[in-house]
Amino acid sequence: MVQALGLLKETPSQTAGPYVHIGCTPNYAEIAGICAADHGSVMLDDKTRGERITVHGHVIDGAGAPLKDALVEIWQADGAGLYNSPSEMRGKSDPNFTGWGRCPTSADTGEFLFETVKPGRVPFRDGRPMAPHITFWIVARGINIGLHTRMYFPDEAEANAEDPLLARIEHRHRVATLIASGKSPLYTFDIHLQGEKETVFLDI
Amino acid sequence: MSDRSNMKAETGAFFPRDRNWHAPALTPGYKTSVLRSPQKALLSLDNTLSEITGPVFGHSILGELDNDLIHNFARPGESAIGERIIVHGRVIDERSRPVAGALLEFWQANAGGRYRHKKESYLAPLDPNFGGCGRTITDEDGYYRFRTIKPGPYPWPNGVNDWRPAHIHFSVFGHGFAQRLITQMYFEGDPLIWRCPIVNTIPDRRAIEQLIAPLDMANTIPMDALAYKFDIVLRGRRSTLFENRLEGN
């Protein structure tokens, strides 16, 4: 025998279930009066710096149907490429931008939508700039552990070509699954959970 | 949002997730997972700043009754019906360090197993004094607590006769977005736990046991409420981000 490392095991994930809205977006779930506004529903205000954009899309299952009970969260840098986080050591991010958004996919249409700003570039571990991107995290009934992925921008071809994460995708045709369509100020990012068009998901 | 400037900054990458400990994506006994599970391998990559950083929430987002589900939806002078309990514990990381300032959100059915949600049609009635959601933020030692009623079991259309054990859903924010976690807490001794297809998505019995809160008589309030203890472990992190520059500690 050797000494024990003494590390704990992470609490295992479980599905968010169909009623995730009760806890995460109670006003959307029509449970009024417990919290004033749903967390993550507003990311910016009039003073936020940067190029305003709208990002919308659907989360689509293996039969081609949009999920109408998913919860989508995004996390991104501000317009200057700084994160609103205590772990951001490079400078102070825009105080009028949260960087974090949360949106349920519509019970009627399955659409999610975020009003945000286009993120600036952030360095990779070795200092090379990553292309502008938004981190997505998707939970829903039927998803046992939250799915991480990233959205990149179609009008950043040069930056995307040198992005260290995109470069790691072995099957090059799958890079396209992480690149939104449309153009500023409206981008569409559809997330395919499985099948031919399956989005690249990250273990990160 | 980041009003925790007194917190020691943490800048290391998180330990990789043990994906044999967590449930795999495809677990056919839980039918909805069949069409909602990726079939291709995940792309594995050490954390970048995009995962090391994450939103941190201040107490300003909390309402006075956010951690009291017995009263936060109740009419004045009334309270929710059911077994009054306190749920408490610590949020720590894999290195046993407290995670201070962690936002926890929780939601649950009422004492009869009925959720307050328009898509829910179970015949058990709503409790007019119970909403079923709350939130709190861990203190400097990682502790949290809230008051609620014990939720009832709940039938669901998976197998012909599947029932969820009594459970409370938890959404947890650590300090980095890579720690983001949603899970479910179960109650010690519930015979439905081991029959549940959602519980059994988790392959390792020890991992399932990590989701079962023991009855905690030491923290009950006599003549008022029983207590259950539920500790949550988030991913630990290495101490430095730029190993080649040895920043941090």
Side-chain angles (χ1 to χ4, degrees), chain A:
Chain A
M1 293 294 282
V2 298
Q3 295 183 6
L5 281 171
L7 294 178
L8 303 174
K9 297 298 288 185
E10 187 187 9
T11 296
S13 173
Q14 289 261 267
T15 180
Y19 308 128
V20 59
H21 317 103
I22 294 173
C24 293
T25 56
N27 293 292
Y28 175 82
E30 297 174 11
I31 299 175
I34 293 186
C35 63
D38 289 337
H39 296 156
S41 55
V42 178
M43 300 175 69
L44 41 62
D45 63 24
D46 292 346
K47 297 193 286 278
T48 305
R49 297 188 291 263
E51 178 186 345
R52 279 165 170 66
I53 59 169
T54 299
V55 175
H56 76 134
H58 294 81
V59 181
I60 298 159
D61 73 14
L67 273 59
K68 296 178 177 176
D69 54 10
L71 186 75
V72 179
E73 291 185 6
I74 63 172
W75 173 242
Q76 63 164 92
D78 67 11
L82 292 169
Y83 282 103
N84 182 4
S85 163
S87 303
E88 173 60 85
M89 306 306 284
R90 297 169 299 146
K92 183 157 172 46
S93 69
D94 185 343
N96 299 304
F97 183 62
T98 68
W100 175 73
R102 172 188 271 173
C103 186
T105 60
S106 159
D108 300 319
T109 65
E111 186 192 33
F112 63 80
L113 187 148
F114 296 98
E115 303 283 358
T116 183
V117 294
K118 188 171 178 185
R121 296 183 77 169
V122 173
F124 189 62
R125 300 185 60 77
D126 58 10
R128 284 182 289 161
M130 295 190 279
H133 64 273
I134 298 174
T135 295
F136 274 69
W137 188 72
I138 301 114
V139 292
R141 176 173 68 100
I143 296 177
N144 290 326
I145 181 166
L147 295 167
H148 279 271
T149 189
R150 282 187 184 182
M151 184 200 110
Y152 288 81
F153 291 84
D155 37 15
E156 292 283 348
E158 207 171 303
N160 292 342
E162 61 183 23
D163 182 80
L165 184 141
L166 294 178
R168 283 282 304 274
I169 298 173
E170 180 184 352
H171 300 98
R172 299 307 295 163
H173 71 279
R174 300 196 66 213
V175 171
T177 69
L178 299 189
I179 299 177
S181 60
K183 59 182 199 292
S184 186
L186 178 64
Y187 296 96
T188 303
F189 185 53
D190 285 334
I191 296 158
H192 293 267
L193 296 180
Q194 67 174 221
E196 296 235 330
K197 292 188 270 187
E198 186 173 311
T199 300
V200 173
F201 294 105
L202 308 173
D203 178 20
I204 198 157

Side-chain angles (χ1 to χ4, degrees), chain B residues 72-247:
Chain B
N72 70 2
F73 195 76
R75 291 178 289 231
E78 300 188 14
S79 58
I81 290 174
E83 206 176 314
R84 295 162 63 90
I85 59 170
I86 288 161
V87 178
H88 75 108
R90 288 181 87 196
V91 181
I92 51 181
D93 72 12
E94 289 167 294
R95 298 164 81 179
S96 305
R97 297 182 178 198
V99 183
L103 173 66
L104 305 183
E105 299 161 298
F106 19 84
W107 65 101
Q108 61 169 89
N110 69 21
R114 174 72 187 266
Y115 283 95
R116 186 173 287 279
H117 193 283
K118 60 186 165 190
K119 281 199 163 176
E120 147 80 286
S121 56
Y122 182 34
L123 48 77
L126 285 170
D127 176 346
N129 289 311
F130 187 72
C133 64
R135 60 197 62 76
T136 191
I137 290 177
T138 58
D139 71 12
E140 62 273 20
D141 297 314
Y143 282 101
Y144 76 91
R145 62 194 279 126
F146 61 94
R147 186 151 70 149
T148 186
I149 50 95
K150 188 177 175 186
Y154 161 78
W156 59 301
N158 186 65
V160 171
N161 191 22
D162 281 338
W163 292 72
R164 298 302 323 284
H167 63 281
I168 300 177
H169 297 264
F170 279 71
S171 162
V172 189
F173 289 82
H175 297 165
F177 206 56
Q179 289 177 306
R180 195 75 182 82
L181 181 74
I182 280 184
T183 190
Q184 300 182 29
M185 180 199 110
Y186 303 98
F187 292 83
E188 179 182 7
D190 186 341
L192 289 169
I193 292 172
W194 304 101
R195 299 170 188 266
C196 174
I198 288 178
V199 171
N200 287 320
T201 60
I202 298 173
D204 191 319
R205 186 183 173 98
R206 293 168 303 166
I208 292 172
E209 286 169 347
Q210 201 171 344
L211 299 181
I212 305 175
L215 177 67
D216 178 7
M217 289 304 288
N219 280 289
T220 59
I221 303 176
M223 306 303 287
D224 182 340
L226 286 170
Y228 286 86
K229 179 170 173 286
F230 185 56
D231 288 340
I232 296 167
V233 180
L234 300 181
R235 293 168 71 175
R237 58 163 114 207
R238 302 201 300 264
S239 54
T240 57
L241 167 55
F242 298 106
E243 280 81 359
N244 54 344
R245 288 193 237 151
L246 291 173
E247 288 183 9

